[in-house]
Amino acid sequence: MTPAVPTSSAIRVVALGGTGEIGRNMYVVECDGRMVVIDCGVTFPKPDQLGVDLVLPDFSYVEDNIDALEAVILTHGHEDHIGALPYLVRTVGRLRVIGPRFALGLVRSKLDEHRLLDKVTLEEVGPGDGPVLGPFRTEFVRLTHSIPDCLAVALHTPVGTVVHTGDFKFDHHPVPGSPSSDIESLARLGADGVHLLLSDSTCAEEPAEPQSEASVGKQLRRVMATAPGRVIITTFSSHIHRVQQAIQAAYDDGRVCLLLGRSLSRNVGIATNLGLMTIPPGAVVKKPRDLDDYPLDEQVVICTGSQGEYMAALSRMARGEHHQIAIQPSDTIVFSSRTVPGNELAVNDTINRLVRIGASFITPSSHPGIHVSGHGTSADLMWMLQLLRPRFMAPIHGEARHQRAHKALAVQSGVAPDAVFCLDNGDVLEVTADGAEVVDQIPAGVVYVDGLGIGDVADEVMRDRRTLADDGVVIVVATVDGQTGALINDPEIIARGFSAAEDEALMAETRLAVERALDEAGPQRIDDVSVVQHQIHDAAASLLKKRTGARPMVLPVVVEA
Amino acid sequence: MTPAVPTSSAIRVVALGGTGEIGRNMYVVECDGRMVVIDCGVTFPKPDQLGVDLVLPDFSYVEDNIDALEAVILTHGHEDHIGALPYLVRTVGRLRVIGPRFALGLVRSKLDEHRLLDKVTLEEVGPGDGPVLGPFRTEFVRLTHSIPDCLAVALHTPVGTVVHTGDFKFDHHPVPGSPSSDIESLARLGADGVHLLLSDSTCAEEPAEPQSEASVGKQLRRVMATAPGRVIITTFSSHIHRVQQAIQAAYDDGRVCLLLGRSLSRNVGIATNLGLMTIPPGAVVKKPRDLDDYPLDEQVVICTGSQGEYMAALSRMARGEHHQIAIQPSDTIVFSSRTVPGNELAVNDTINRLVRIGASFITPSSHPGIHVSGHGTSADLMWMLQLLRPRFMAPIHGEARHQRAHKALAVQSGVAPDAVFCLDNGDVLEVTADGAEVVDQIPAGVVYVDGLGIGDVADEVMRDRRTLADDGVVIVVATVDGQTGALINDPEIIARGFSAAEDEALMAETRLAVERALDEAGPQRIDDVSVVQHQIHDAAASLLKKRTGARPMVLPVVVEA
């Protein structure tokens, strides 16, 4: 256990997740023996993380220093910023959580599902608020992103001011009724002096000027105006501004909307209750069957499934497995979303199924304006650097490639090259009044959620799953004489997921190979059963490899009789 | 078995692979009781096709009609056009194979590896050649694509002329010394009348004008001229023209080249032997250690790994696991390739590893001219349609979305909408002098190569692998009294790939649940062992599901003693 930095002459920053990767953002900031955590997010597993439901940060550093923890600060409500909170509560117990309205609304719903609501104190903060957390005087600054209520957080400390941007872009034309970023406060922070900036690197490689969210509304209106029949729009379920624009565009075009998908309905419900979203009266119908009152060209469906997720509404419609909505050849399906890397094949599969039904589709590839990113491109990142003019800087929220591109921008903006730190998870960055350096490395690996368990998918389990997935399992059951170790019956073979399981001749040959191996070993004490197991394993595995080219997992079961 | 169409008044066309998908191209054309097969390709498995090495077309229609088969015609040497040939030979025996020089060179090497060379007669054809195959008078027309020696094939039959384009784009500025497409012959075919056109749809959605292969050479020269150190170029190993341009650019810049990667060296060797590629004397060194004689900024490495393939040269270098070449921070790595859908994460992983070493990288995203596709965009497809002016048309080589986009082009070019057929694999298209329709559907599923076996991965095996991959396997071994069915020892539990395998308390509880289930069942005859197995399975599976949320494969082993 590394304790929190004890003096007030230094700040320490550690990413437990979110540097060198996109996702599971979690940053620890320490000063004077006290600690705050900024964000607590998840990542969704990659295809080679077999059977895993979610990937979490390793909480052990926070657990070890739990007495030093003042609070968890949330910058906004995306899953990669709040999704791990229930698991943190399960690990460390009672927590004080501070964040903006919509993020807390989503967290409340999430904790409720996990039956952990009573363990957490939720404190809403807004732009301009500034609770004092031990040695940290906080200050929250409104920024724009692809979800309502996003805040950057400034931590004023005895050493200097640390600014963590959260996710952002500068959108000077956000959705009507929604505020734009608070440039004035950023400029004031910059004028007063920012010692360390932690800033979002997601789109640092992107050279183009960012486009405003409002521009997507115009594109959606154009689609509605010209679509021959129903319009089905899929986007991220937390993208409240996008959903609001889709509803408004439908309303203005004389169409009614149906919202479809559990997470979408929940998020829109929360946003509406919090007054973050106003839906014109009569614009949205409640149930799929309510659409029957309208001709197809007066219908809009807004639904989940933009990533081709197998169980999402659009995916089920595309497979013809949705009980309430059947895709029609006159439908126009709009992917108002980008495809998250790794989901390309699933999204493409959905599109091809829609095409086979005869429907039309619109994606950002065919209609570039139909989706815009919520992350600032290099132009925005440069604005942030110019406004804050930090002494030290660490590009966060990005893979190595994005961090390096962001570092190049920071250097261009005037930050000294050796004052920019492309951190890896676990790197302990210590910042004093005069300098900054990586002084330590703490454990910050990946923790898996698998079913109801947290963290219990060991590397060995994952390796075994890979073997099982590739070639299956072959179980050899041998009943042996307890005295002599001699086989009593023919060995029994059970194979699953092994492509030659039905090959009777091969199974007979395998039994024979096992018998021969045990015969050759001669009489043996079987109190060390592992010797017999090894003989069985090697005889079966090498024969199967030779005959089939496959390496199934061979499990010997030796029963003494 | 559906026999080949017996009369000379109709042609039948069936795709066994390559329609409604990209990959494993294989087309059957029949007339007057005789058959030719055009191409015989593989697809690489998707992530959900667990443990599969290759995906083949289903050969059973060809096998059933093998006596009618005149020959297999190959249009060019890409894997998705020739890769399944050894497996076809293994299935149907002796074959006559006709194709262009480079494709046959690659096929020869492939058959040699499979020790099947003596089963196949290879006949080289070039532009203008036209062997007669039963009722089919063939004519081959030179086209340009991302591999040397590509031919379209025209089949002149009593019903009319069928043209199969293979893969193509119209490149009027191919690599110096290499011929461009034979527009004159296409125009003549069009003037004489094309009855049915089967044409490549891969890039039918792409609106832009295609760029010439020669333009990539200019970009490579620019990179060489400005790179501060070594340049490492990765591309598709069969892309001989690209490799030749890279070698020439290096030579002109005063750099020496090293070729790295087994498939790349083999393909360049074949191309050089066939006179398809000329390498300036001294331009290429033989061994990695030969590079030591040159400073880094006089070195170029051309290597495999453009798709992030785990064992490819670039991937191993990026992981620091290549024994001969270590990436240097001054290296510039050029991805002169597109990322095949499904490989995005692997390629991104390679890039991030290169960045961590400090190297620079260039991709088509950052430098659009560094790769151009070998497939014609809509402009080229329209040229093909205008030159051939077919009466009937079927868009091939494409998923449903590409076929539909290609159909729209065909209709724009003047083909009647009901004369364009977006076929699925197995659809039997019958074309007479006056009409065309889909008259039948034959089996055309997927066949897997898994290790040394062909086609023996049943759906059930794949389902089992999915279960094993997600949650592992739990084996419950119960030794029971042969008379009473009562347990003799505590049941033994063996778990692999199951995340709670180390949870001793859970394992003890599982043993107890199994014991209780067998106790409750009371004395029973165990001559029907499946009853006991079911009791064990259900007791263990439901407890594990309840406690862990996981559904491992539970395999009961009942041993009678």
Side-chain angles (χ1 to χ4, degrees):
Chain A
M1 170 182 151
T2 313
V5 59
T7 75
S8 62
S9 62
I11 309 162
R12 279 190 178 176
V13 175
V14 193
L16 299 179
T19 59
E21 65 178 341
I22 291 192
R24 60 178 195 130
N25 293 289
M26 187 168 183
Y27 300 86
V28 172
V29 185
E30 298 172 347
C31 186
D32 206 11
R34 306 301 296 165
M35 174 197 283
V36 291
V37 166
I38 302 176
D39 290 334
C40 186
V42 295
T43 307
F44 297 97
K46 296 186 182 142
D48 61 348
Q49 293 171 318
L50 293 170
V52 170
D53 299 322
L54 288 174
V55 184
L56 308 178
D58 180 344
F59 299 138
S60 46
Y61 184 75
V62 177
E63 198 178 2
D64 291 347
N65 294 285
I66 191 65
D67 292 339
L69 181 65
E70 292 284 343
V72 175
I73 296 168
L74 303 177
T75 60
H76 65 285
H78 277 147
E79 282 296 314
D80 57 336
H81 293 259
I82 67 166
L85 206 59
Y87 302 95
L88 181 63
V89 176
R90 279 166 64 178
T91 306
V92 305
R94 196 160 286 286
L95 279 183
R96 179 182 180 190
V97 174
I98 297 174
R101 193 170 32 162
F102 190 52
L104 293 193
L106 296 174
V107 163
R108 194 170 286 116
S109 154
K110 195 176 280 291
L111 291 171
D112 195 34
E113 266 181 38
H114 284 258
R115 297 165 192 237
L116 293 169
L117 206 43
D118 59 325
K119 295 263 195 190
V120 178
T121 315
L122 295 172
E123 296 176 32
E124 185 182 316
V125 285
D129 288 344
V132 174
L133 306 170
F136 305 100
R137 183 168 60 79
T138 65
E139 180 181 351
F140 291 91
V141 180
R142 188 182 59 233
L143 293 179
T144 41
H145 182 47
S146 49
I147 190 170
D149 280 349
C150 290
L151 299 174
V153 56
L155 300 171
H156 301 291
T157 77
V159 183
T161 296
V162 179
V163 174
H164 181 295
T165 63
D167 287 349
F168 75 98
K169 74 171 174 183
F170 290 122
D171 193 341
H172 304 303
H173 303 280
V175 178
S178 167
S180 60
S181 297
D182 179 359
I183 309 298
E184 189 184 346
S185 293
L186 292 173
R188 181 182 39 72
L189 281 167
D192 292 348
V194 171
H195 202 55
L196 172 65
L197 170 64
L198 308 170
S199 182
D200 176 15
S201 312
T202 311
C203 286
E205 286 183 346
E206 183 62 55
E209 286 284 328
Q211 290 180 279
S212 74
E213 178 60 27
S215 70
V216 179
K218 286 185 201 145
Q219 298 291 330
L220 290 174
R221 271 163 219 281
R222 237 171 256 173
V223 170
M224 307 265 184
T226 55
R230 183 164 55 187
V231 175
I232 298 178
I233 300 171
T234 184
T235 189
F236 302 99
S237 71
S238 62
H239 204 326
I240 298 301
H241 292 151
R242 187 67 52 83
V243 176
Q244 174 161 350
Q245 293 202 89
I247 293 173
Q248 190 65 47
Y251 186 76
D252 295 346
D253 195 59
R255 294 167 180 260
V256 290
C257 275
L258 171 74
L259 304 181
L260 214 57
R262 206 174 68 97
S263 58
L264 181 69
S265 303
R266 186 194 54 213
N267 294 347
V268 167
I270 293 170
T272 312
N273 289 338
L274 295 175
L276 288 165
M277 193 176 175
T278 43
I279 295 178
V284 173
V285 297
K286 284 206 168 13
K287 299 206 175 75
R289 85 168 81 91
D290 297 337
L291 286 180
D292 298 346
D293 299 340
Y294 301 85
L296 284 170
D297 64 359
E298 294 179 11
Q299 299 180 12
V300 166
V301 176
I302 305 173
C303 62
T304 53
S306 69
Q307 302 305 308
E309 307 94 319
Y310 192 80
M311 290 306 294
L314 181 61
S315 312
R316 286 188 287 142
M317 287 188 256
R319 292 197 303 273
E321 293 172 5
H322 198 283
H323 298 306
Q324 293 153 318
I325 305 275
I327 300 286
Q328 304 296 321
S330 61
D331 287 350
T332 301
I333 292 86
V334 179
F335 287 80
S336 187
S337 55
R338 76 177 186 118
T339 299
V340 173
N343 297 337
E344 293 83 358
L345 293 178
V347 170
N348 194 45
D349 182 64
T350 299
I351 289 175
N352 276 312
R353 288 175 189 275
L354 295 170
V355 167
R356 283 172 186 276
I357 300 169
S360 303
F361 66 93
I362 287 176
T363 69
S365 302
S366 62
H367 292 65
I370 207 70
H371 173 68
V372 300
S373 172
H375 294 277
T377 57
S378 57
D380 280 349
L381 303 186
M382 191 54 108
W383 269 110
M384 183 62 88
L385 287 158
Q386 297 285 4
L387 285 166
L388 295 183
R389 285 171 291 141
R391 169 102 183 260
F392 300 104
M393 194 266 177
I396 60 170
H397 299 177
E399 298 168 3
R401 57 189 292 179
H402 312 117
Q403 291 175 290
R404 182 166 75 178
H406 201 174
K407 174 173 179 166
L409 295 171
V411 171
Q412 275 174 44
S413 83
V415 185
D418 61 359
V420 184
F421 296 86
C422 291
L423 301 175
D424 273 322
N425 294 330
D427 284 348
V428 179
L429 177 66
E430 185 167 294
V431 185
T432 61
D434 303 319
E437 61 177 324
V438 174
V439 295
D440 200 358
Q441 167 76 36
I442 62 165
V446 290
V447 171
Y448 296 126
V449 177
D450 186 10
L452 308 178
I454 310 178
D456 43 10
V457 188
D459 286 350
E460 192 189 343
V461 169
M462 205 58 82
R463 264 200 310 278
D464 285 347
R465 284 183 184 172
R466 172 53 57 201
T467 302
L468 292 165
D470 281 348
D471 289 322
V473 60
V474 173
I475 299 156
V476 182
V477 185
T479 311
V480 298
D481 184 301
Q483 305 298 315
T484 65
L487 269 171
I488 291 180
N489 304 323
D490 274 358
E492 187 189 349
I493 293 179
I494 302 163
R496 290 288 187 283
F498 176 56
S499 50
E502 301 298 311
D503 181 341
E504 286 302 333
L506 178 63
M507 294 299 121
E509 195 183 355
T510 308
R511 280 193 290 270
L512 214 64
V514 168
E515 284 173 29
R516 193 173 308 125
L518 293 184
D519 275 357
E520 278 169 13
Q524 54 194 315
R525 296 159 51 89
I526 73 146
D527 45 291
D528 186 3
V529 76
S530 72
V531 175
V532 182
Q533 283 172 337
H534 267 116
Q535 289 162 348
I536 295 174
H537 174 276
D538 294 352
S542 70
L543 179 81
L544 294 173
K545 170 74 176 67
K546 196 165 149 193
R547 291 285 181 269
T548 68
R551 297 174 185 276
M553 178 178 286
V554 173
L555 293 176
V557 173
V558 177
V559 181
E560 199 180 322
Chain B
M1 170 184 151
T2 314
V5 58
T7 75
S8 62
S9 63
I11 308 162
R12 280 190 177 176
V13 175
V14 193
L16 299 179
T19 59
E21 66 179 340
I22 291 191
R24 58 178 198 131
N25 294 290
M26 186 167 184
Y27 301 85
V28 172
V29 185
E30 299 170 348
C31 186
D32 205 11
R34 306 302 297 166
M35 172 197 285
V36 290
V37 166
I38 302 176
D39 289 336
C40 186
V42 294
T43 308
F44 297 98
K46 297 186 179 140
D48 62 347
Q49 293 171 319
L50 293 169
V52 170
D53 299 321
L54 288 174
V55 184
L56 308 179
D58 180 343
F59 300 138
S60 45
Y61 184 75
V62 177
E63 200 179 1
D64 290 348
N65 294 284
I66 191 64
D67 291 338
L69 180 66
E70 292 284 341
V72 176
I73 296 169
L74 303 177
T75 60
H76 64 285
H78 277 147
E79 282 296 312
D80 57 336
H81 294 258
I82 67 166
L85 205 58
Y87 302 96
L88 181 62
V89 175
R90 278 165 63 179
T91 307
V92 305
R94 197 161 286 287
L95 279 183
R96 177 182 180 189
V97 174
I98 298 173
R101 193 171 34 164
F102 190 52
L104 293 193
L106 296 173
V107 164
R108 194 171 286 117
S109 154
K110 195 176 279 292
L111 290 171
D112 194 34
E113 266 180 39
H114 284 257
R115 296 167 193 236
L116 292 170
L117 206 43
D118 59 325
K119 295 262 194 189
V120 179
T121 316
L122 296 172
E123 297 176 32
E124 186 181 316
V125 285
D129 287 344
V132 174
L133 306 170
F136 305 100
R137 183 169 59 80
T138 65
E139 180 181 352
F140 291 90
V141 180
R142 188 182 59 232
L143 292 180
T144 42
H145 182 46
S146 48
I147 189 170
D149 279 347
C150 291
L151 298 175
V153 57
L155 300 171
H156 301 289
T157 77
V159 182
T161 296
V162 179
V163 174
H164 181 295
T165 64
D167 289 348
F168 75 99
K169 74 171 175 184
F170 290 121
D171 193 341
H172 303 303
H173 303 280
V175 178
S178 167
S180 60
S181 298
D182 179 0
I183 309 298
E184 188 185 346
S185 292
L186 293 172
R188 181 183 37 75
L189 280 168
D192 292 347
V194 171
H195 202 54
L196 171 66
L197 169 64
L198 309 170
S199 182
D200 177 14
S201 310
T202 310
C203 287
E205 287 183 345
E206 183 61 56
E209 287 285 327
Q211 290 180 280
S212 74
E213 177 61 27
S215 69
V216 179
K218 286 185 199 146
Q219 298 292 329
L220 291 173
R221 271 163 218 280
R222 239 172 253 173
V223 170
M224 306 264 183
T226 56
R230 183 164 55 188
V231 175
I232 299 177
I233 300 171
T234 183
T235 190
F236 301 99
S237 71
S238 62
H239 204 326
I240 297 302
H241 291 151
R242 187 70 49 83
V243 175
Q244 173 161 350
Q245 292 201 89
I247 293 173
Q248 190 65 46
Y251 186 76
D252 294 346
D253 194 60
R255 293 167 180 260
V256 290
C257 275
L258 172 74
L259 304 182
L260 214 56
R262 204 175 70 97
S263 58
L264 181 69
S265 303
R266 186 194 52 212
N267 294 347
V268 168
I270 293 170
T272 313
N273 289 339
L274 294 176
L276 289 165
M277 191 176 176
T278 42
I279 296 178
V284 174
V285 296
K286 284 207 167 14
K287 297 206 177 75
R289 85 168 80 92
D290 297 338
L291 287 180
D292 298 346
D293 299 339
Y294 301 85
L296 284 171
D297 63 359
E298 293 180 11
Q299 299 180 13
V300 166
V301 176
I302 305 174
C303 62
T304 53
S306 69
Q307 302 304 309
E309 307 94 318
Y310 192 81
M311 289 307 294
L314 181 61
S315 313
R316 286 189 285 142
M317 287 190 255
R319 292 198 303 275
E321 293 172 5
H322 198 283
H323 297 307
Q324 293 153 317
I325 305 275
I327 300 286
Q328 304 296 321
S330 61
D331 287 350
T332 301
I333 291 87
V334 180
F335 287 79
S336 187
S337 54
R338 77 178 185 118
T339 300
V340 173
N343 297 337
E344 293 83 357
L345 294 178
V347 171
N348 194 46
D349 182 65
T350 299
I351 289 176
N352 277 311
R353 288 175 189 275
L354 295 170
V355 167
R356 283 172 186 276
I357 300 169
S360 304
F361 66 93
I362 287 176
T363 70
S365 301
S366 62
H367 291 64
I370 208 69
H371 173 69
V372 300
S373 171
H375 294 277
T377 57
S378 58
D380 280 349
L381 304 187
M382 192 54 109
W383 269 111
M384 184 63 87
L385 286 158
Q386 296 286 3
L387 284 166
L388 295 184
R389 286 173 289 141
R391 167 102 186 259
F392 300 104
M393 193 267 177
I396 59 170
H397 299 176
E399 299 168 2
R401 57 188 293 178
H402 312 117
Q403 290 175 291
R404 184 166 74 178
H406 201 173
K407 174 174 180 167
L409 295 172
V411 171
Q412 275 174 44
S413 83
V415 185
D418 61 358
V420 184
F421 296 86
C422 291
L423 301 175
D424 273 322
N425 294 330
D427 284 347
V428 179
L429 176 66
E430 185 166 296
V431 185
T432 61
D434 303 318
E437 62 176 323
V438 173
V439 295
D440 200 359
Q441 167 76 33
I442 61 164
V446 290
V447 170
Y448 297 127
V449 177
D450 186 11
L452 308 179
I454 311 178
D456 42 11
V457 188
D459 287 350
E460 192 189 341
V461 169
M462 203 58 82
R463 265 200 309 278
D464 285 347
R465 285 183 184 172
R466 171 54 56 200
T467 302
L468 292 166
D470 281 349
D471 289 322
V473 62
V474 173
I475 299 156
V476 182
V477 185
T479 311
V480 299
D481 185 300
Q483 306 297 316
T484 66
L487 270 171
I488 292 179
N489 304 322
D490 275 358
E492 186 189 351
I493 294 179
I494 302 164
R496 289 288 187 284
F498 175 56
S499 50
E502 302 298 311
D503 182 341
E504 285 302 333
L506 178 64
M507 293 300 121
E509 195 183 355
T510 308
R511 278 192 291 269
L512 214 63
V514 169
E515 285 173 27
R516 194 173 308 125
L518 293 184
D519 275 357
E520 277 169 15
Q524 55 193 313
R525 296 160 51 89
I526 73 146
D527 44 290
D528 186 2
V529 76
S530 73
V531 175
V532 181
Q533 283 172 338
H534 267 117
Q535 289 161 350
I536 294 174
H537 174 274
D538 294 353
S542 70
L543 180 82
L544 294 173
K545 171 73 176 66
K546 197 166 149 191
R547 291 284 181 269
T548 67
R551 298 175 184 275
M553 178 179 285
V554 174
L555 292 177
V557 173
V558 177
V559 181
E560 198 180 324

